Structure formats: structure tokens, C-alpha cells
Amino acid sequence: MLLWVGIVHGEPERSGSWQLREKIGQPVAVPIVFSDRSAADLLDMAPALVARGSRGVICVAGQPFPQAPGSRTALREIREHLASMGLRHVFLRAEPLREDAVDRRALDAFINRTEDLARTARWCGASGLWLDLPVTASLFDPDHPITGEELEKIGRRLYAAIARRFPDADVLVWGGPEGAPGPRWLNFLEGLFEGAGVADSPRVTLVTAVDAPAAGYASVAAATGGVERMVAASFSLENRERWERLGGVSALLKMDAYYRMASQAGAEAASGSFRVARDAAVALSDRWVILGLAREANQQQVDPELRLVSPLRGMIR
């Protein structure tokens, strides 16, 4: 209860003359898990994930990618089966932007692959896409021959490709855990929002990792608020307005850190630390809060039992 009171009555953050969004009157975030497995491989794990509080998954569509009508039908049936077990929100992971994607031909191929995935995701009834856009990719190096203006155009093209095939998608963008993004990554990101024009969808949520396992309310607030401040400082006025309409921030909690903590400090300490971080992330994230499964969790060796179920579930800010 103390955590909830502190969240509700916290002062909205401000940056210069731009007031960031006040998260009032919105539902708290829905917990989903990030997995390196395919949708089919998660069928056996689904009951355990639902029992622990997950309401969705981020997963791979399949290997090879389902392109034939029969394989797409099978993927849709898998998605429906996951939904019937309680995992109602399925996000399909796009193939990451490769380190060697240094020329326009490689970027064209990345956009085409993402467009194909968006088409498949919509046909299968998925909630959206997960985009791996690592800030360390060579494309975002300061000395890369593709200019910042061209990166914005590429971002606009990527948004248009997704919107064309899956206009109602929720797009989760992950820049990786390597640190703060540079100006060229921000050029690309701003192009994504500029591509929306006056549209109300697809929505774009930036995923930010939270330092663990010592994460408390202050560190979760710093992570999510840092993204808001970054947008306020780097986006044009028009794109900040698009961010207010379409954008959001989701916290990512990595489970392997809590498993290491359990082995060093005991299960009770790890569970207590996780509960604090989980509830803060649920309250401060927009729409989704993400749990990065550890290898132990993938194998269902859950010790301690780190549950996603939060007492804040279903509440309104």
C-alpha cells in the first residue's frame, strides 16, 4: 500500500518547457515474458507462465519463418491455443538488425523482413512485434556513411511498412542493454514517430532495462523517466506530440540476476527484491511490463518462485 500511495501522489516529471505525460487514469501495465523460444515450444510452458502471472509472451514465430499458408495456419492455431491457456498477448520477434547491415540494400532487406513479419503477425492475431535495434550496431556509429537525415527516412519507411501490414500493432523497440543511445539511434527513432503522421496506430513502446537485482522504486522510476527525458530533449515539437499520442515506455526485468541473487543471498532475499522491482515496474510502465526469462525459467527450474502476479494488477493510476 505504501508503494501504491507513493506512485499515485508522485509529482510528474518535467524537462524544460516540455511537460512529460502524467500517468493518471491509465491501467497499470500487463506483465508479459520475453523468451528466446518459438511459439510452438512455449505450449508446454504456458500453464506455468500463466500460474506465475504472465498474460503474454514475446517469442520467435518459428524456424524456418512461416511463409507457406499451411505453416501460417499452424502458427495461428498455436497462438489461439496460447490464448486459451491465458497468454492472450503474443508478440513476434523480428530478426535483429544485423551488425553487418551497413548499406542501403541490407536495410531494405531488414524492412522487407519486418513487413513480412507484420503481415504474418496480423493474420495470426498477434498483439504486435518486438524489434531488436541495438544501439551498438555499426549503422549507428558516428562515422557511418549513411547520414542522420537518411536514418530518419529509414525510420519513416519502417513505420510505414508495419502500418501497411498491421495497422493496429503494438511495436516494442529494444535498443539492447549496452547503454544510452547515441544521436544516430535517436535519428532513427524519431523517424519512426515521424512516419506516423496524424495516425493513431501502430503504437511504439520503448523497452528499457532496469538495473537488477537491487532495483527499487527509485531505480525503476529513473529508468522509465530517463526515456521520457531523452524524448523531450531530442525530438522535435511535432514528434514529441506524436510521442504523447503513440509512445510509451516499458521496463524490462532480467530474471538471471535474481537467480544469481538467490544462490548468493538466499531465496527469500531474491523474492523480496523482485517483488519491489516488479510492482514498481507494473505501476510505472506503459501498457506492458516485461520479464526476461532466465535459462532456469525456460527449463521450469523455478527456485525461488518469482511470481509476476502483482497486487496492483487491474488498478488504475
Side-chain angles (χ1 to χ4, degrees):
M1 181 59 69
L2 290 177
L3 173 63
W4 180 247
V5 170
I7 293 170
V8 171
H9 294 290
E11 286 295 321
E13 297 186 58
R14 301 172 186 271
S15 178
S17 61
W18 180 258
Q19 180 174 340
L20 301 176
R21 174 172 44 234
E22 296 185 29
K23 302 178 181 183
I24 304 298
Q26 303 175 28
V28 295
V30 175
I32 58 178
V33 297
F34 177 93
S35 175
D36 56 5
R37 296 190 171 197
S38 70
D41 291 341
L42 289 172
L43 288 173
D44 291 339
M45 291 181 61
L49 295 176
V50 172
R52 292 172 61 199
S54 176
R55 296 298 175 260
V57 291
I58 301 163
C59 59
V60 179
Q63 293 293 342
F65 181 77
Q67 292 181 319
S71 58
R72 287 186 176 180
T73 299
L75 180 58
R76 182 166 64 182
E77 291 173 350
I78 291 169
R79 202 278 309 163
E80 291 172 348
H81 193 184
L82 290 172
S84 71
M85 290 187 284
L87 297 177
R88 298 186 299 273
H89 306 286
V90 174
F91 290 82
L92 299 183
R93 294 175 57 185
E95 184 177 337
L97 180 63
R98 290 195 287 261
E99 287 294 326
D100 59 353
V102 296
D103 58 21
R104 292 165 182 80
R105 181 176 299 178
L107 291 171
D108 288 343
F110 171 72
I111 292 173
N112 291 337
R113 290 194 303 270
T114 304
E115 184 173 359
D116 287 342
L117 181 67
R119 181 194 297 111
T120 297
R122 183 187 186 189
W123 193 85
C124 293
S127 295
L129 309 179
W130 170 280
L131 300 184
D132 279 293
L133 299 173
V135 297
T136 55
S138 58
L139 176 66
F140 305 122
D141 288 345
D143 57 352
H144 195 281
I146 293 180
T147 66
E149 290 184 358
E150 289 178 290
L151 281 176
E152 289 188 20
K153 293 179 182 178
I154 294 167
R156 291 196 295 270
R157 286 181 55 204
L158 180 61
Y159 186 95
I162 296 171
R164 183 163 51 248
R165 300 301 181 183
F166 195 173
D168 298 326
D170 233 320
V171 182
L172 306 179
V173 177
W174 170 237
E178 288 80 7
R184 289 174 56 80
W185 194 88
L186 293 174
N187 288 143
F188 189 95
L189 180 66
E190 187 161 9
L192 270 179
F193 281 92
E194 191 169 319
V198 297
D200 290 326
S201 63
R203 300 181 67 100
V204 179
T205 300
L206 301 188
V207 179
T208 181
V210 177
D211 291 335
Y217 173 78
S219 56
V220 176
T224 56
V227 175
E228 297 269 13
R229 288 189 292 271
M230 175 188 74
V231 168
S234 60
F235 277 22
S236 68
L237 177 60
E238 293 80 4
N239 287 327
R240 291 201 298 266
E241 291 171 346
R242 293 184 180 106
W243 166 265
E244 289 294 309
R245 189 173 73 249
L246 301 170
V249 184
S250 287
L252 169 66
L253 302 176
K254 292 190 173 182
M255 291 307 299
D256 50 2
Y258 292 98
Y259 280 89
R260 287 195 300 269
M261 184 179 183
S263 65
Q264 297 168 2
E268 185 175 351
S271 295
S273 179
F274 174 74
R275 284 194 296 270
V276 172
R278 174 205 63 196
D279 290 349
V282 165
L284 292 171
S285 295
D286 296 307
R287 299 189 292 278
W288 318 102
V289 61
I290 302 164
L291 183 74
L293 287 184
R295 178 58 56 184
E296 293 90 336
N298 276 343
Q299 298 171 352
Q300 301 189 53
Q301 299 171 356
V302 182
D303 181 21
E305 184 181 5
L306 302 174
R307 293 176 59 80
L308 281 166
V309 176
S310 168
L312 306 184
R313 188 177 63 187
M315 291 187 177
I316 302 295
R317 296 187 180 99

